[in-house]
Amino acid sequence: MKDVFKTKKLLALVGLVILSGCSKKQLEADYLIINGQVYTAEQPHAEALDIAVCGSKICGVFLQGESNVIAEQTIDATNMIVSPGFIDPHTHTLEELLSNDKNNNLNYLTQGVTTVVNGNDGEGPVDIAGTASKLQKNKIGTNVALLIGHGSVREQVMGRVQQHASAEQLDEMQKLVAKGMQEGALGLSSGLYYVPGSYANTEEIVSLAKVVAEYQGIYDTHMRDESTFNIGFLNAIKESIEIAEQAQVHLHLAHIKALGVDVWGQSEQAIELIKQAQQKGVSISADQYPWLASGTKLHSAIMPKWVMADSREAFIGRLNDAMLADRLHAEITENIRRRGGADSLLITAFQDANLVGKTLKEVAQASKQSVVDTAIELVKKGDVRVASFNMSQQDVNAFMQQPWVVTSSDGTNGHPRKYASFPQKYQEYVVNKQLLTIAEFITQSSSKTAAYLGIKDRGVLKEGYVADIIIWDANNFQANADFSQWNRLSSGVKYTLVNGHLVIDKYNYLNELQGEFVAR
């Protein structure tokens, strides 16, 4: 009888041991990231956490050493920062994403960017579903979200004509915008500085933004003026706010800046206008790239908008029209002055490679022509990309410290922002100037961006969220591109997971194309 009692007691103890072991359920995962300084993008400081990844999702976030995970691969992030992959709200990467290049968007992955937005400046595709399908079939290196381009919609309906839309044309544009929203677009983008968007009045944009608002989308705008080219910088901000108020839509100001000597110092007034609107209930955010030079095509930078109406043939015809020469020369001269002069316009990409790296002033001196005549001749030959050194450090600093401003690149060929914006911001404004903390930089590059754009389940290290994760060296995360060599890859990202797949392993790119189309 005594032996039976001992046996029962032993079985009970074994049961308790088994039960206590089961209380901490074992998790099977693909990856377990341990020992890192983890910034979830929800807390203003690093945390000692381990992160488990199952398939495409984060399936566990644990206090370090307290997980019970069996992982296919354990990634030791000792002395490294673990954060959400960055989200770039303003890129021009569709060409790369639709190419057959297996390094597809590597210049963004090495900046820590795992999701890019395309369709900015009003140039977005009208056919969202078709574009998304092409991207998915092609396979892509980063995730991509799309905006519907107002300029593209307008051009499809009424060409590049310099006139306001009729009621019938407006109705057709509204239907195209609604279709794009139904197909997963984040919202509507406009480029009211550019042709043909510059030909639209405020009422046209309000009517289209109202359609976007019905789908809880956003209105993203390259404003009508960032300088004194037409209505003025502050008036352009007021117009943007008016559109948001009337349409009851979230307003996102693209690459916010005070461009040119005429508006330097107006960041303070601009910020106050935005804060006042926010206090009245208008939802507003902005993005910014960390450079003192913008980048665009020479004709967009200095040519009057009326010259570019209709076709390219009509554009060139006006440039050659002797009757227009005096007016044209006067307006181009003034536009060059606004941007800081001919020596502030650096040629970054052109069919004549011998001119790349020279300023407009240098080219004019070499050709023994006036600056204006040189500019006209260059534009006639084809697209000339320029970096325009037109911002003041004071304004850049002021915008960067606003809690509603997030990180972007607006990446274009010839400008280092395409290869280096995120590490440039980190090195210059976190490490050197200490205007931002590491946590602020990370949230401005991930969770806040996702929230403003309406991207769900990304941008935060949280159970159930998509596993877009970067592991990077805070001491060596740096930009290597500059204006002398704009296309050098950044360094410091040791591991990158995109949708739960490892694409950078110990600083080495694995030639994996694991990006997805991100629908609103």
Side-chain angles (χ1 to χ4, degrees), residues 140-162:
I140 51 180
T142 60
N143 302 309
V144 61
L146 297 172
L147 293 158
I148 310 161
H150 162 252
S152 302
V153 168
R154 191 177 217 269
E155 189 163 355
Q156 181 167 316
V157 171
M158 54 189 297
R160 296 170 70 85
V161 63
Q162 188 174 3

Side-chain angles (χ1 to χ4, degrees), residues 5 238 323:
F5 178 80
K238 291 175 183 177
M323 299 291 289

